[in-house]
Amino acid sequence: MVDRLANSEANTRRISIVESCFGAAGQPLTIPGRVLIGEGVLTKLCRKKPKARQFFLFNDILVYGNIVIQKKKYNKQHIIPLENVTIDSIQDEGDLRNGWLIKTPTKSFAVYAATATEKSEWMNHINKCVSDLLSKSGKTPSNEHAAVWVPDSEATVCMRCQKAKFTPVNRRHHCRKCGFVVCGPCSEKRFLLPSQSSKPVRICDFCYDLLSTGEMTACQSARSDSYSQSPKSSLNDVSDDDDDEDSSD
């Protein structure tokens, strides 16, 4: 079905509409063989609070952006190559239901659908696209992925020293290796993680020690991918702060 739609006028028109919705700031999306599989609104668990994001699934990439005007205008476009994606289901807990992890070497995060059926359809379509891409390229699935950041609201004290309380003055920081929320003194060091940045990035002392001694797998296992084991913040119990997911901290 994907091959049949690849060069159809309807598919070209649909992709062109998506391009226009992102405006001049968005990257061109129309290339030979690309097919728009589906689209929809998912709740993305960001650093400061869960937020609605518009997602577009193509046969080779996943695109998402902020909703300015539903079905008409989006901004802050993100493009994720599907061949680098792995996904894992998240158990339902509280207000956060029908979720799964989208994991890549450069960025990983949790998203939630409105219904269990919608979640199943998204996961099935993503897995099918990834499988088809890897089959055609002969590549193996990515076994490296960035940590999923623990939301700010889940940590009132540093997750490493367990002592420093966070205040407007004593800010929260995120370790780029384990995703923990840590205080400044526990995350003063930098380490080069090539898949995430061309420059050394902030990591906690625990991960720095493991990385420095070559025990990278131990560092990665410091935080389980079973994201549902962490306490969840309510979808309604959030601040009005802007999303700071791309912050250097």
Side-chain angles (χ1 to χ4, degrees):
M1 179 179 178
V2 171
D3 292 338
R4 178 168 56 83
L5 291 173
N7 298 312
S8 69
E9 290 185 7
N11 177 67
T12 301
R13 184 168 59 252
R14 291 176 67 200
I15 295 179
S16 177
I17 291 174
V18 175
E19 283 186 344
S20 65
C21 286
F22 278 103
Q27 296 295 314
L29 298 173
T30 303
I31 65 170
R34 176 168 290 166
V35 175
L36 178 58
I37 306 295
E39 62 183 270
V41 177
L42 299 173
T43 297
K44 180 177 179 290
L45 197 59
C46 300
R47 173 180 178 176
K48 291 189 178 296
K49 61 180 179 179
K51 294 189 175 182
R53 296 286 184 257
Q54 180 72 28
F55 280 77
F56 299 92
L57 176 63
F58 297 83
N59 59 331
D60 62 334
I61 58 174
L62 182 65
V63 178
Y64 71 92
N66 295 5
I67 301 171
V68 180
I69 303 175
Q70 181 64 37
K71 298 292 185 181
K72 291 185 178 180
K73 187 176 181 180
Y74 311 107
N75 63 14
K76 295 187 179 180
Q77 182 190 71
H78 297 263
I79 300 177
I80 302 173
L82 282 179
E83 64 178 15
N84 296 328
V85 168
T86 56
I87 58 175
D88 288 324
S89 181
I90 304 173
Q91 294 181 6
D92 292 344
E93 187 171 341
D95 292 324
L96 297 175
R97 307 178 66 83
N98 310 312
W100 68 97
L101 297 178
I102 297 176
K103 303 187 296 183
T104 79
T106 57
K107 186 183 180 98
S108 302
F109 53 90
V111 293
Y112 297 84
T115 67
T117 299
E118 186 179 343
K119 168 186 173 178
S120 178
E121 291 177 348
W122 269 102
M123 293 189 70
N124 288 338
H125 284 307
I126 292 173
N127 276 327
K128 179 65 165 59
C129 289
V130 173
S131 177
D132 288 347
L133 279 173
L134 294 177
S135 177
K136 291 179 180 179
S137 67
K139 296 181 180 179
T140 56
S142 176
N143 58 5
E144 179 185 0
H145 57 82
V148 179
W149 284 17
V150 175
D152 285 1
S153 59
E154 292 186 17
T156 57
V157 299
C158 174
M159 297 178 71
R160 285 304 181 196
C161 69
Q162 300 292 322
K163 296 177 181 178
K165 293 183 179 180
F166 295 121
T167 67
V169 176
N170 188 29
R171 298 174 54 211
R172 292 171 171 83
H173 303 279
H174 277 83
C175 172
R176 298 305 194 271
K177 184 61 181 175
C178 67
F180 277 16
V181 183
V182 290
C183 64
C186 284
S187 60
E188 292 178 340
K189 296 181 175 65
R190 300 289 192 275
F191 200 92
L192 181 62
L193 301 177
S195 62
Q196 295 191 40
S197 175
S198 60
K199 299 179 180 180
V201 294
R202 180 188 294 272
I203 61 174
C204 67
D205 292 346
F206 178 80
C207 288
Y208 182 84
D209 291 342
L210 291 175
L211 287 165
S212 297
T213 57
E215 300 179 28
M216 297 183 70
T217 54
C219 180
Q220 185 63 40
S221 64
R223 177 161 186 254
S224 169
D225 284 334
S226 299
Y227 189 75
S228 58
Q229 293 178 0
S230 299
K232 292 290 182 284
S233 58
S234 166
L235 286 174
N236 297 316
D237 185 21
V238 294
S239 70
D240 291 327
D241 292 340
D242 191 20
D243 182 7
D244 197 21
E245 61 183 300
D246 294 322
S247 167
S248 60
D249 293 323

